[in-house]
Amino acid sequence: MFNFLNHKAMLNFIIKTHQKDTVYKGNQIFILNKGMNSGKPQKEPFSNSFVIVFPDERDAETVYWLAYSLWKSNFWHQFLIGSVIPFLRIKDFKEEFDSKVNEMMLEHELHQKQVQALRLLEQKQDQLHQDIVLINDLRRTILSRFCRK
């Protein structure tokens, strides 16, 4: 178990390899550990993933956004091994993730502001995606009417 102290916050969590059909109590996030998307966090389990278990929902949310940032910046690519299907070793993940969580806790307020910005960007991206789907539906409708004549 890792404990990270800061004058404002303390995070507690356990990192382990996810076992298929295992049910976890409390709050957890899953980190994909195979392929070029290794490091991708998700609230639901991947077939090939690590699980990070938290006693507190707020800690899970804080660490989720750190994991998301590391994944989006391709941080984990440097640790991938294997030539056919690259994968991330749990030992490497634990060591590097530990280091990054410690850095984040030293600048916790800045991290919180960045999380708010990332959430807003995700909402905007979702809205744009919905708009694109609607535009494509309208285009299909117009073109199908045009082709019927």
Side-chain angles (χ1 to χ4, degrees):
M1 181 180 299
F2 296 94
N3 292 318
F4 299 98
L5 294 173
N6 175 300
H7 67 281
K8 296 183 180 180
M10 182 174 118
L11 296 180
N12 295 308
F13 57 86
I14 299 169
I15 300 173
K16 55 188 174 180
T17 301
H18 169 62
Q19 302 296 322
K20 185 180 177 197
D21 299 324
T22 300
V23 177
Y24 302 95
K25 294 180 181 177
N27 304 282
Q28 61 277 329
I29 60 173
F30 299 88
I31 307 293
L32 185 64
N33 63 16
K34 281 197 179 165
M36 293 308 292
N37 265 327
S38 289
K40 180 179 182 180
Q42 183 171 284
K43 308 270 171 138
E44 299 299 320
F46 294 102
S47 296
N48 300 300
S49 62
F50 305 130
V51 61
I52 308 176
V53 181
F54 305 86
D56 182 278
E57 185 177 347
R58 189 182 72 201
D59 290 353
E61 188 70 11
T62 297
V63 172
Y64 172 86
W65 287 104
L66 172 65
Y68 177 88
S69 300
L70 292 170
W71 167 65
K72 276 297 206 183
S73 67
N74 295 325
F75 175 79
W76 298 110
H77 284 194
Q78 62 189 319
F79 300 100
L80 294 177
I81 61 169
S83 57
V84 178
I85 299 175
F87 66 96
L88 184 59
R89 288 187 263 202
I90 194 164
K91 178 182 178 285
D92 294 336
F93 180 79
K94 283 181 176 181
E95 287 173 6
E96 295 302 321
F97 201 70
D98 173 33
S99 173
K100 290 299 181 183
V101 169
N102 276 322
E103 285 177 31
M104 179 212 41
M105 292 310 294
L106 292 174
E107 298 179 353
H108 189 68
E109 287 180 28
L110 174 61
H111 175 72
Q112 292 302 99
K113 289 177 184 176
Q114 291 172 335
V115 165
Q116 289 173 344
L118 287 170
R119 282 185 182 143
L120 181 60
L121 289 171
E122 284 292 307
Q123 290 171 352
K124 295 289 185 188
Q125 182 178 358
D126 290 345
Q127 184 59 51
L128 286 172
H129 178 71
Q130 291 172 8
D131 291 348
I132 288 170
V133 168
L134 180 59
I135 289 167
N136 287 333
D137 288 346
L138 290 171
R139 180 181 293 124
R140 270 191 297 279
T141 301
I142 291 169
L143 290 173
S144 69
R145 288 181 183 166
F146 179 74
C147 293
R148 278 193 249 153
K149 292 184 179 184

